[in-house]
Amino acid sequence: LVDLLLFRTHSQLAQVLNEFLQSDWSKDTRCSILGGRRSLCVNPSVRRLPTDAQISDQCLFLQRNHSRGKQGCRFHNSEKEQNLRNEILVIVRRHNHLANQSGIEDLLKTADSTGGCPYYASRRSLPYLQLVLLPYNLILSRSSREALGIDLKV
């Protein structure tokens, strides 16, 4: 069972994450963040698109290309995402490492070193977490909830 804390802005999310990481509660609680593609995409050709819908469409288009044997997103790679997920979990265990950074920035820096997609790697870390901080719009969107495996009826 995962507890979700919802926020309107990423700056609010970062502030609460920072406070959480300085608390005694953080020592026994595995916590991380989720964000949308706009915040977590590291593919320069996708990230520069002007709207969230275009970013999402291009990401999905590149995934379909890859599954058809064509050139896809070089960051959306299962092995690299697995490595990044493992790094996320190590960072969660070494919670003081994050203390003065926004979770999104730290996730992007870690993704840069592993070469994996932080959007998908953060989702792969969900089963191992006890507390997840995320923007509320990910809960309001039915497709986002379904993609994350979040059932509000429970």
Side-chain angles (χ1 to χ4, degrees):
L1 185 61
V2 173
D3 289 322
L4 305 173
L5 284 178
L6 310 176
F7 299 92
R8 190 174 60 83
T9 67
H10 285 287
S11 62
Q12 291 170 335
L13 188 151
Q15 182 180 5
V16 170
L17 178 62
N18 191 38
E19 292 297 321
F20 168 79
L21 292 171
Q22 294 176 30
S23 74
D24 288 337
W25 192 45
S26 69
K27 295 175 184 149
D28 298 319
T29 306
R30 293 181 310 277
C31 172
S32 191
I33 54 139
L34 286 182
R37 285 182 175 98
R38 159 82 51 215
S39 302
L40 295 177
C41 180
V42 291
N43 185 323
S45 67
V46 176
R47 188 174 177 92
R48 69 181 155 99
L49 295 171
T51 69
D52 292 349
Q54 288 174 317
I55 288 172
S56 184
D57 289 347
Q58 185 64 17
C59 177
L60 296 172
F61 173 77
L62 291 172
Q63 285 180 53
R64 282 191 301 275
N65 271 357
H66 181 72
S67 67
R68 295 176 181 150
K70 298 178 183 176
Q71 184 174 359
C73 180
R74 64 187 164 115
F75 300 98
H76 187 53
N77 172 296
S78 291
E79 185 177 324
K80 290 178 181 179
E81 286 169 7
Q82 186 77 17
N83 291 338
L84 180 53
R85 185 211 67 189
N86 293 341
E87 284 296 315
I88 291 168
L89 296 173
V90 166
I91 289 170
V92 167
R93 286 192 295 272
R94 282 189 332 227
H95 66 279
N96 288 333
H97 176 71
L98 283 173
N100 294 314
Q101 299 181 24
S102 106
I104 298 282
E105 289 173 9
D106 194 66
L107 186 54
L108 293 173
K109 287 178 188 175
T110 305
D112 193 41
S113 68
T114 64
C117 175
Y119 176 80
Y120 287 104
S122 64
R123 280 146 177 75
R124 287 178 179 235
S125 70
L126 276 176
Y128 305 96
L129 301 173
Q130 296 165 304
L131 177 63
V132 178
L133 309 177
L134 66 159
Y136 75 90
N137 62 324
L138 291 179
I139 295 297
L140 294 180
S141 164
R142 169 180 253 144
S143 61
S144 294
R145 282 195 315 269
E146 289 172 355
L148 293 170
I150 295 172
D151 183 3
L152 297 180
K153 294 176 185 168
V154 174

